Amino acid sequence: MSPAGQVRDWLDERFGWDDLVAFIRHKTVPLHRYSYWYYLGGITLFLFTLQVVTGILLLLYYRPTPSDAFGSVQYIMTQVHFGWLIRSIHSWGANLMIFTAFAHMFSVAFFKAYRKPRELTWLSGIILLFLVLGFGFSGYLLPWNTLAFFATTVGTNLIGQVPLAGPWLLTFLRGGADVTGATLGRFFAFHVALLPGLATAFLLTHLLLVQRFGISVPPSLEPAWQAKPPAEREIRFFPNFMLRELMAWYLALGALGTLAALRPWGLGTKADPFASAPAGIRPEWYFMFMFETLKLIPARVGFMTGEALGVLVFGLAAVAWTLLPFLDRGGTGRKRRWAAGAVVFALGYVVGMTLYGYLVMAK
Amino acid sequence: MEARVDSTQITDAWWRAPAALAGYLFLLALVLGMAAPTTARAQAAKNSCLDCHSQLPPPLQVKPEEYNQSIHAEKGLTCVSCHGGDATKADMTAAMSAAAGFRGHVNRTGIPKLCASCHANATYMRGFDPSLPTDQYSKYLTSVHGHLLAKGDTNVAVCTDCHGVHDVRSPSDPRSSVYPLNVPGTCARCHANAETMKAYKIPTDQYASYTASVHYEDLVKNGDLSAPTCVTCHGAHGATPPGVSSVVNVCSTCHVFQAQLFDKSPHARAFLAAGLPGCVTCHSNHRILQPTDAFLGTGKGSVCVNCHAPGDPGYTAAAQIHSSLTALQASIDRSSAILARAGSSGMEVGPAELELSGARDDLTKARVGVHNFSAPAVEKETQAGMGVAQKTYQAGVAALAERDYRRKGLGISLGVIVLVVVSLWLLIRSIESRNSLEAKK
């Protein structure tokens, strides 16, 4: 027997390798005109893996103190071999991952893939999205540059507006009253320890649930899809779907490389906590719709400050969005359509307010 | 039916009337007691001067809102403090009687002395502001204004001309006529007035010249309140034009290094011998423009050629100094441009830009060093900067080369990625066509 065969036998004897291979061979993915949306989850997973790898490489040189953080990132970008590439891929990859995570979420929402029995799949996915946003928020501060410093000050101020728990959350996140070295230390700990741990746990849960309940077919296509013979309505996960997914990953890698080489992620200037905030302070694009909304709310609405009201409304909206599978109980007519309307509104609002924010900034 | 009187009602009734009376009396006493000191205070604070003078036409008019916002009102001084009299008397004759110490209108010649009665009294002034100087009057007596006033010229400036009369404000109050931003305008009220200055036969273009100067630009456009105004060079209360020999001393209060170098230079002795004022000969006095490298050398706009002719050593040194400075400036510009190009391509050039600021420092030092008029000394400073500028230029070249290398790398990587994607596509097609054949069988 060949050495490869011997290894396979060894694995099969202990872990049931042949059963696993048989399972993968029989696993299928629905085939219809919207199947390409299924690749978004895989691309997000690929980008997450890339973030882990590049993040570990950055950790070799990064120093999370106010005196060293900026210099260490500058060192990575100018002195370390391919440090610029690693840092740029990490920064661009984070943005691309958040984009694909959002796109994945909206595709799931549009196709009503959250319906019974996939409520927990949706729930774990939404938690993953919040964790990814947490990665973005905590990672943004780590280079300790001017823009990040003041954007974090503004961002944490908003968290301080959360009713009841706001002041406590603010102090917990900042490690004091202001954004200081204590904040940097905490954000670093969240970014490289707490969030990766939680994300790994929820990612495994999410993948397990996807595996357990399979991939959903959009309700509008389901009757026609069911009517087709099995060979026409499904493709094998391995190798057919997996190879296509691999193509998507390569294309994502190409896009990332292009961005990193042509538009390396900038570093700006070192943060000076005693300097006044520069003009044009803004959050990253994925928080822009919330930031712009809060700016439009009057300073005081009834007994609440405008910011507190905005944070409360966004909080309630996030809870409602998370509970979408439990609120959308199916039915016919209007009952069936309200959820689709809510998804269209949510997407329109997020995209519209983000564009509006950038248009206002450009003026 | 006979009304029945309760024993408790009888018991209550006997004290109710006197208690009510006592209560009323107590309240009355309380009200009067509270009112009494208020009335006394009101009488003490009463200012009968303003009652009338607020209603009178100019020049006897005093606007209460102006007086009330003055530093004197803020510190509790009243009309009586300067004019005497008794402001508590409602009757005009009694209020302005000689018996009440009324001094009335203060003549211009008496104003400095009147102000000095408080402002030259260190013990008295300490009660308001221990850090406030009390030498204004003694300085004023040494000033041109003070000398002329002593000779009986009442057209010269006295305290009230610059500080105001009833609306005197602290110099730190932006509304004050002696707030740094307002000082040039205050002096110009007289010194830019040809009619007023006619008798003194002095020019009136100082203000116009000053407003074109770098000092004015710094004061007004940059909002630097420490920038020189008229009083910085001429003195405030002891205002006097600096003489030929003391000009350098005036400028050196701020431009210390330039003055030290000039003092050791051959120009110091030559200028003194020729009766030329130090700094002013090259930089002018009021129209002190932003100095440029064109001030030096032998070209158009050079001040050196005003004295030096071709062939003399000074002419040659001027050309060399100009050449050193412009060469360093050009080198810095070249480095700055290439770093900007690399930066706009996304290259991290922060450390090189920081290093280049060292060359800019060398250029500044060289420009200061110009004031000893030694070509070798200036060249020594510029050479240090040239080295830094050259190094940062190389950093810019390297950054652009790195950018091109990355782009080539990207091209190759994209080529590989496209190749892999196409191969995957072909592999998928091959697998699926094989599957389809197997299914047909």
Side-chain angles (χ1 to χ4, degrees):
Chain A
M1 188 185 283
S2 67
Q6 282 177 342
V7 170
R8 214 183 77 171
D9 281 354
W10 190 89
L11 287 171
D12 186 42
E13 203 176 323
R14 284 157 185 79
F15 304 107
W17 179 256
D18 286 348
D19 293 344
L20 185 68
V21 171
F23 168 77
I24 292 173
R25 277 198 177 148
H26 288 102
K27 183 174 167 53
T28 57
V29 174
L31 184 65
H32 50 78
R33 66 173 186 270
Y34 298 134
S35 289
Y36 51 86
W37 287 100
Y38 296 149
Y39 299 113
L40 280 171
I43 295 172
T44 310
L45 176 65
F46 166 70
L47 291 170
F48 178 77
T49 314
L50 215 55
Q51 289 303 101
V52 173
V53 174
T54 52
I56 289 169
L57 291 173
L58 289 174
L59 268 178
L60 299 178
Y61 292 95
Y62 177 72
R63 291 195 292 270
T65 62
S67 55
D68 294 342
F70 182 87
S72 64
V73 177
Q74 198 169 53
Y75 182 81
I76 289 168
M77 291 181 72
T78 54
Q79 305 297 319
V80 178
H81 285 302
F82 292 105
W84 64 273
L85 185 64
I86 301 299
R87 198 243 166 177
S88 276
I89 284 187
H90 194 74
S91 302
W92 277 114
N95 283 272
L96 215 57
M97 178 176 70
I98 291 169
F99 178 78
T100 54
F102 264 107
H104 179 50
M105 177 189 74
F106 277 111
S107 73
V108 168
F110 270 115
F111 296 146
K112 291 182 176 287
Y114 52 74
R115 289 166 308 154
K116 185 182 173 183
R118 298 184 180 84
E119 295 96 331
L120 291 179
T121 318
W122 166 267
L123 204 62
S124 58
I126 292 293
I127 291 170
L128 275 173
L129 181 81
F130 290 150
L131 289 173
V132 162
L133 291 176
F135 271 115
F137 187 60
S138 57
Y140 195 51
L141 179 68
L142 300 189
W144 199 249
N145 58 29
T146 304
L147 195 62
F149 177 84
F150 287 104
T152 304
T153 304
V154 174
T156 46
N157 269 339
L158 293 178
I159 293 169
Q161 297 293 325
V162 171
L164 302 176
W168 180 85
L169 274 174
L170 180 76
T171 312
F172 172 71
L173 284 175
R174 288 184 176 176
D178 300 305
V179 175
T180 59
T183 321
L184 182 63
R186 283 178 184 220
F187 274 42
F188 177 69
F190 297 149
H191 195 76
V192 304
L194 180 68
L195 292 173
L198 288 172
T200 307
F202 279 98
L203 187 61
L204 290 175
T205 308
H206 192 68
L207 292 174
L208 204 69
L209 289 167
V210 171
Q211 177 51 45
R212 175 71 183 84
F213 299 115
I215 295 174
S216 162
V217 176
S220 58
L221 301 181
E222 202 155 5
W225 180 80
Q226 287 285 8
K228 287 182 182 174
E232 286 178 33
R233 69 182 189 197
E234 286 172 338
I235 58 167
R236 282 158 66 183
F237 176 77
F238 189 84
N240 305 48
F241 183 82
M242 197 57 229
L243 286 174
R244 283 181 168 83
E245 184 76 63
L246 204 58
M247 279 172 63
W249 291 4
Y250 267 101
L251 291 174
L253 187 67
L256 261 183
T258 305
L259 288 168
L262 297 183
R263 300 299 309 164
W265 199 265
L267 183 58
T269 53
K270 187 177 179 177
D272 177 4
F274 299 108
S276 51
I281 284 294
R282 57 172 177 81
E284 283 287 67
W285 62 269
Y286 39 88
F287 291 123
M288 186 60 108
F289 72 99
M290 286 191 263
F291 182 68
E292 214 48 53
T293 306
L294 292 171
K295 274 166 65 181
L296 291 177
I297 302 175
R300 192 140 202 104
V301 182
F303 64 93
M304 293 180 89
T305 63
E307 282 184 346
L309 178 71
V311 169
L312 181 68
V313 170
F314 274 120
L316 292 174
V319 170
W321 187 254
T322 308
L323 298 176
L324 190 61
F326 307 100
L327 298 173
D328 179 16
R329 306 306 301 170
T332 53
R334 281 187 178 178
K335 274 188 178 177
R336 193 169 61 85
R337 282 200 298 266
W338 78 262
V343 175
V344 171
F345 173 78
L347 179 63
Y349 190 82
V350 170
V351 174
M353 286 307 283
T354 305
L355 291 176
Y356 172 74
Y358 280 96
L359 281 175
V360 168
M361 237 174 55
K363 276 182 186 173
Chain B
M1 201 160 133
E2 201 176 24
R4 198 169 159 267
V5 178
D6 192 313
S7 63
T8 53
Q9 283 179 322
I10 295 168
T11 317
D12 283 352
W14 73 268
W15 61 264
R16 194 170 286 169
L21 183 67
Y24 287 134
L25 284 173
F26 175 73
L27 279 174
L28 185 66
L30 198 68
V31 169
L32 288 174
M34 285 173 73
T38 311
T39 313
R41 277 201 299 273
Q43 278 175 349
K46 184 173 167 57
N47 190 340
S48 62
C49 312
L50 275 178
D51 291 346
C52 296
H53 282 272
S54 62
Q55 306 298 324
L56 290 170
L60 290 173
Q61 188 186 58
V62 178
K63 291 179 180 169
E65 64 273 15
E66 281 185 359
Y67 165 72
N68 289 335
Q69 288 183 28
S70 72
I71 184 83
H72 289 143
E74 193 186 300
K75 299 291 180 189
L77 277 79
T78 65
C79 312
V80 173
S81 309
C82 297
H83 297 283
D86 186 352
T88 62
K89 298 268 188 321
D91 177 58
M92 192 172 74
T93 317
M96 298 198 296
S97 69
F102 183 66
R103 285 192 292 273
H105 176 68
V106 184
N107 288 328
R108 287 181 66 78
T109 47
I111 287 174
K113 204 166 189 178
L114 174 67
C115 297
S117 64
C118 294
H119 282 276
N121 184 339
T123 312
Y124 179 72
M125 292 308 292
R126 202 177 295 133
F128 299 100
D129 183 355
S131 66
L132 207 64
T134 51
D135 61 350
Q136 299 96 328
Y137 182 60
S138 58
K139 280 185 174 171
Y140 179 77
L141 293 177
T142 67
S143 72
V144 173
H145 296 145
H147 280 154
L148 290 174
L149 187 74
K151 287 178 189 169
D153 182 352
T154 55
N155 285 328
V156 294
V158 294
C159 314
T160 52
D161 292 311
C162 301
H163 291 277
V165 185
H166 299 110
D167 58 344
V168 178
R169 292 194 170 96
S170 162
S172 60
D173 184 335
R175 295 170 300 175
S176 167
S177 49
V178 291
Y179 183 69
L181 281 171
N182 302 330
V183 164
T186 299
C187 298
R189 282 210 303 262
C190 297
H191 284 277
N193 186 329
E195 191 59 37
T196 310
M197 291 296 118
K198 199 174 174 183
Y200 306 103
K201 297 187 175 92
I202 57 174
T204 52
D205 63 345
Q206 300 96 327
Y207 180 68
S209 297
Y210 174 75
T211 52
S213 74
V214 66
H215 291 152
Y216 180 80
E217 186 180 324
D218 203 27
L219 177 76
V220 177
K221 291 185 186 162
N222 301 337
D224 180 1
L225 298 183
S226 67
T229 63
C230 316
V231 297
T232 316
C233 302
H234 294 281
H237 302 100
T240 311
V244 167
S245 58
S246 60
V247 162
V248 177
N249 296 337
V250 171
C251 301
S252 70
T253 53
C254 298
H255 301 282
V256 181
F257 296 116
Q258 289 90 335
Q260 284 174 356
L261 291 166
F262 180 81
D263 279 344
K264 290 175 192 161
S265 77
H267 278 125
R269 290 186 302 278
F271 278 25
L272 200 61
L276 295 169
C279 315
V280 170
T281 304
C282 300
H283 291 282
S284 171
N285 50 3
H286 300 107
R287 190 187 288 271
I288 298 168
L289 302 176
Q290 176 73 48
T292 63
D293 294 338
F295 265 40
L296 297 153
T298 53
K300 198 181 168 190
S302 158
V303 291
C304 308
V305 293
N306 293 344
C307 300
H308 295 288
D312 76 52
Y315 190 89
T316 312
Q320 284 172 345
I321 290 171
H322 179 259
S323 166
S324 297
L325 293 177
T326 48
L328 178 54
Q329 180 66 68
S331 192
I332 289 171
D333 289 345
R334 190 175 71 136
S335 300
S336 187
I338 198 166
L339 289 175
R341 237 172 81 212
S344 67
S345 306
M347 305 303 296
E348 176 53 36
V349 287
E353 279 175 340
L354 186 68
E355 201 172 356
L356 185 60
S357 67
R360 291 197 183 94
D361 290 346
D362 286 330
L363 181 59
T364 305
K365 276 162 70 183
R367 281 171 176 161
V368 171
V370 154
H371 292 90
N372 71 359
F373 308 100
S374 159
V378 171
E379 196 180 354
K380 193 180 163 194
E381 295 285 1
T382 55
Q383 278 306 313
M386 291 289 275
V388 176
Q390 182 59 28
K391 193 176 162 197
T392 51
Y393 179 77
Q394 289 306 327
V397 170
L400 287 178
E402 168 73 12
R403 180 199 65 179
D404 295 342
Y405 168 75
R406 289 179 188 182
R407 289 182 179 177
K408 276 180 201 155
L410 172 70
I412 295 166
S413 305
L414 286 180
V416 172
I417 286 172
V418 169
L419 205 65
V420 171
V421 169
V422 170
S423 306
L424 284 170
W425 179 242
L426 292 173
L427 179 64
I428 292 166
R429 284 191 64 179
S430 141
I431 290 170
E432 287 180 353
S433 62
R434 201 166 58 230
N435 288 350
S436 131
L437 280 173
E438 281 170 9
K440 278 178 188 167
K441 280 180 189 172

Short mmCIF file of all heavy atoms in Angstrom, two decimals, chain A residues 241-269:
data_model
loop_
_atom_site.label_atom_id
_atom_site.label_comp_id
_atom_site.label_asym_id
_atom_site.label_seq_id
_atom_site.Cartn_x
_atom_site.Cartn_y
_atom_site.Cartn_z
N PHE A 241 -19.00 22.98 -6.00
CA PHE A 241 -19.23 24.26 -5.34
C PHE A 241 -17.92 24.81 -4.76
O PHE A 241 -17.62 25.99 -4.85
CB PHE A 241 -20.28 24.08 -4.23
CG PHE A 241 -20.64 25.37 -3.54
CD1 PHE A 241 -21.58 26.24 -4.11
CD2 PHE A 241 -20.04 25.75 -2.34
CE1 PHE A 241 -21.90 27.43 -3.49
CE2 PHE A 241 -20.35 26.94 -1.73
CZ PHE A 241 -21.29 27.79 -2.30
N MET A 242 -17.16 23.89 -4.16
CA MET A 242 -15.92 24.31 -3.49
C MET A 242 -14.93 24.93 -4.47
O MET A 242 -14.27 25.94 -4.16
CB MET A 242 -15.30 23.07 -2.82
CG MET A 242 -14.25 23.38 -1.78
SD MET A 242 -14.86 24.45 -0.50
CE MET A 242 -13.57 25.66 -0.45
N LEU A 243 -14.86 24.41 -5.66
CA LEU A 243 -13.94 24.97 -6.66
C LEU A 243 -14.40 26.36 -7.10
O LEU A 243 -13.59 27.26 -7.32
CB LEU A 243 -13.83 24.03 -7.88
CG LEU A 243 -13.01 22.75 -7.63
CD1 LEU A 243 -13.09 21.83 -8.85
CD2 LEU A 243 -11.56 23.08 -7.32
N ARG A 244 -15.73 26.48 -7.24
CA ARG A 244 -16.26 27.82 -7.59
C ARG A 244 -15.95 28.81 -6.46
O ARG A 244 -15.60 29.96 -6.70
CB ARG A 244 -17.76 27.74 -7.82
CG ARG A 244 -18.14 27.15 -9.14
CD ARG A 244 -19.66 27.13 -9.27
NE ARG A 244 -20.08 26.84 -10.62
CZ ARG A 244 -20.18 25.62 -11.13
NH1 ARG A 244 -19.88 24.56 -10.38
NH2 ARG A 244 -20.57 25.43 -12.38
N GLU A 245 -16.14 28.34 -5.23
CA GLU A 245 -15.85 29.19 -4.06
C GLU A 245 -14.38 29.60 -4.07
O GLU A 245 -14.02 30.75 -3.79
CB GLU A 245 -16.18 28.41 -2.78
CG GLU A 245 -16.02 29.17 -1.49
CD GLU A 245 -17.14 30.16 -1.20
OE1 GLU A 245 -18.28 29.74 -1.04
OE2 GLU A 245 -16.83 31.37 -1.14
N LEU A 246 -13.53 28.63 -4.43
CA LEU A 246 -12.08 28.90 -4.50
C LEU A 246 -11.79 29.99 -5.53
O LEU A 246 -10.92 30.86 -5.31
CB LEU A 246 -11.36 27.60 -4.88
CG LEU A 246 -9.89 27.49 -4.48
CD1 LEU A 246 -9.72 27.63 -2.98
CD2 LEU A 246 -9.31 26.16 -4.94
N MET A 247 -12.51 29.95 -6.63
CA MET A 247 -12.36 31.01 -7.66
C MET A 247 -12.70 32.37 -7.05
O MET A 247 -11.99 33.36 -7.27
CB MET A 247 -13.29 30.74 -8.84
CG MET A 247 -12.75 29.72 -9.82
SD MET A 247 -14.01 29.28 -11.04
CE MET A 247 -14.28 30.81 -11.86
N ALA A 248 -13.80 32.40 -6.28
CA ALA A 248 -14.22 33.65 -5.66
C ALA A 248 -13.16 34.14 -4.67
O ALA A 248 -12.87 35.33 -4.59
CB ALA A 248 -15.55 33.46 -4.94
N TRP A 249 -12.55 33.19 -3.95
CA TRP A 249 -11.52 33.57 -2.99
C TRP A 249 -10.31 34.17 -3.72
O TRP A 249 -9.74 35.16 -3.26
CB TRP A 249 -11.06 32.36 -2.18
CG TRP A 249 -12.10 31.84 -1.23
CD1 TRP A 249 -13.39 32.29 -1.12
CD2 TRP A 249 -11.95 30.78 -0.29
NE1 TRP A 249 -14.05 31.58 -0.16
CE2 TRP A 249 -13.21 30.64 0.38
CE3 TRP A 249 -10.91 29.93 0.06
CZ2 TRP A 249 -13.42 29.69 1.37
CZ3 TRP A 249 -11.14 28.99 1.05
CH2 TRP A 249 -12.37 28.87 1.71
N TYR A 250 -9.95 33.57 -4.82
CA TYR A 250 -8.81 34.11 -5.58
C TYR A 250 -9.12 35.51 -6.10
O TYR A 250 -8.26 36.39 -6.11
CB TYR A 250 -8.45 33.17 -6.74
CG TYR A 250 -7.38 32.18 -6.35
CD1 TYR A 250 -7.69 30.87 -6.01
CD2 TYR A 250 -6.05 32.57 -6.30
CE1 TYR A 250 -6.71 29.97 -5.64
CE2 TYR A 250 -5.06 31.68 -5.93
CZ TYR A 250 -5.39 30.38 -5.59
OH TYR A 250 -4.41 29.51 -5.21
N LEU A 251 -10.36 35.69 -6.55
CA LEU A 251 -10.73 37.01 -7.05
C LEU A 251 -10.69 38.04 -5.91
O LEU A 251 -10.23 39.18 -6.09
CB LEU A 251 -12.12 36.97 -7.68
CG LEU A 251 -12.20 36.19 -9.00
CD1 LEU A 251 -13.66 36.09 -9.48
CD2 LEU A 251 -11.34 36.85 -10.10
N ALA A 252 -11.16 37.63 -4.71
CA ALA A 252 -11.11 38.52 -3.55
C ALA A 252 -9.65 38.84 -3.21
O ALA A 252 -9.31 39.99 -2.90
CB ALA A 252 -11.79 37.87 -2.36
N LEU A 253 -8.79 37.84 -3.30
CA LEU A 253 -7.37 38.05 -3.02
C LEU A 253 -6.77 39.03 -4.03
O LEU A 253 -5.98 39.92 -3.68
CB LEU A 253 -6.63 36.71 -3.07
CG LEU A 253 -5.17 36.73 -2.64
CD1 LEU A 253 -5.06 37.04 -1.15
CD2 LEU A 253 -4.50 35.39 -2.93
N GLY A 254 -7.16 38.87 -5.30
CA GLY A 254 -6.69 39.79 -6.35
C GLY A 254 -7.12 41.22 -6.06
O GLY A 254 -6.33 42.17 -6.19
N ALA A 255 -8.39 41.38 -5.65
CA ALA A 255 -8.91 42.72 -5.35
C ALA A 255 -8.14 43.32 -4.17
O ALA A 255 -7.75 44.50 -4.20
CB ALA A 255 -10.40 42.64 -5.02
N LEU A 256 -7.89 42.49 -3.16
CA LEU A 256 -7.16 42.98 -1.98
C LEU A 256 -5.74 43.39 -2.34
O LEU A 256 -5.26 44.45 -1.92
CB LEU A 256 -7.07 41.85 -0.94
CG LEU A 256 -8.06 41.87 0.20
CD1 LEU A 256 -7.79 40.73 1.15
CD2 LEU A 256 -7.97 43.19 0.95
N GLY A 257 -5.07 42.55 -3.12
CA GLY A 257 -3.70 42.85 -3.55
C GLY A 257 -3.64 44.13 -4.35
O GLY A 257 -2.74 44.96 -4.17
N THR A 258 -4.64 44.32 -5.23
CA THR A 258 -4.67 45.53 -6.06
C THR A 258 -4.81 46.77 -5.17
O THR A 258 -4.09 47.76 -5.34
CB THR A 258 -5.85 45.46 -7.05
OG1 THR A 258 -5.72 44.24 -7.79
CG2 THR A 258 -5.86 46.63 -8.00
N LEU A 259 -5.74 46.69 -4.22
CA LEU A 259 -5.94 47.83 -3.32
C LEU A 259 -4.68 48.09 -2.50
O LEU A 259 -4.27 49.25 -2.31
CB LEU A 259 -7.13 47.56 -2.38
CG LEU A 259 -8.51 47.62 -3.03
CD1 LEU A 259 -9.56 47.04 -2.09
CD2 LEU A 259 -8.86 49.05 -3.40
N ALA A 260 -4.07 47.02 -1.99
CA ALA A 260 -2.89 47.18 -1.13
C ALA A 260 -1.71 47.77 -1.90
O ALA A 260 -0.95 48.57 -1.37
CB ALA A 260 -2.50 45.84 -0.52
N ALA A 261 -1.57 47.39 -3.17
CA ALA A 261 -0.42 47.86 -3.94
C ALA A 261 -0.65 49.26 -4.51
O ALA A 261 0.26 50.08 -4.54
CB ALA A 261 -0.11 46.89 -5.07
N LEU A 262 -1.87 49.52 -4.97
CA LEU A 262 -2.13 50.82 -5.60
C LEU A 262 -2.55 51.89 -4.59
O LEU A 262 -2.25 53.07 -4.77
CB LEU A 262 -3.20 50.69 -6.68
CG LEU A 262 -2.84 49.78 -7.86
CD1 LEU A 262 -3.95 49.80 -8.90
CD2 LEU A 262 -1.53 50.22 -8.51
N ARG A 263 -3.26 51.50 -3.56
CA ARG A 263 -3.69 52.46 -2.54
C ARG A 263 -3.34 51.92 -1.16
O ARG A 263 -4.22 51.51 -0.40
CB ARG A 263 -5.21 52.73 -2.61
CG ARG A 263 -5.72 53.29 -3.90
CD ARG A 263 -5.15 54.64 -4.25
NE ARG A 263 -5.22 55.62 -3.17
CZ ARG A 263 -4.50 56.75 -3.16
NH1 ARG A 263 -3.65 57.01 -4.14
NH2 ARG A 263 -4.62 57.59 -2.18
N PRO A 264 -2.05 51.84 -0.82
CA PRO A 264 -1.68 51.32 0.51
C PRO A 264 -2.41 52.10 1.61
O PRO A 264 -2.59 53.32 1.48
CB PRO A 264 -0.17 51.56 0.59
CG PRO A 264 0.28 51.78 -0.80
CD PRO A 264 -0.87 52.36 -1.54
N TRP A 265 -2.82 51.39 2.64
CA TRP A 265 -3.59 52.02 3.72
C TRP A 265 -2.70 53.07 4.41
O TRP A 265 -1.62 52.76 4.88
CB TRP A 265 -4.05 50.97 4.72
CG TRP A 265 -5.19 51.44 5.56
CD1 TRP A 265 -5.10 52.01 6.80
CD2 TRP A 265 -6.58 51.44 5.22
NE1 TRP A 265 -6.36 52.35 7.24
CE2 TRP A 265 -7.27 52.02 6.31
CE3 TRP A 265 -7.30 51.02 4.12
CZ2 TRP A 265 -8.66 52.17 6.33
CZ3 TRP A 265 -8.68 51.17 4.12
CH2 TRP A 265 -9.34 51.74 5.22
N GLY A 266 -3.18 54.31 4.46
CA GLY A 266 -2.38 55.41 5.03
C GLY A 266 -2.21 55.29 6.53
O GLY A 266 -2.94 54.55 7.20
N LEU A 267 -1.24 56.04 7.04
CA LEU A 267 -0.98 56.00 8.47
C LEU A 267 -1.33 57.33 9.14
O LEU A 267 -1.70 57.37 10.30
CB LEU A 267 0.51 55.66 8.71
CG LEU A 267 0.95 55.51 10.15
CD1 LEU A 267 0.14 54.45 10.87
CD2 LEU A 267 2.42 55.16 10.22
N GLY A 268 -1.25 58.43 8.40
CA GLY A 268 -1.56 59.74 8.98
C GLY A 268 -0.47 60.22 9.92
O GLY A 268 0.69 59.84 9.78
N THR A 269 -0.88 61.02 10.90
CA THR A 269 0.09 61.58 11.85
C THR A 269 -0.19 61.02 13.24
O THR A 269 -1.31 60.66 13.54
CB THR A 269 -0.01 63.11 11.89
OG1 THR A 269 -1.38 63.44 12.15
CG2 THR A 269 0.43 63.76 10.61
#
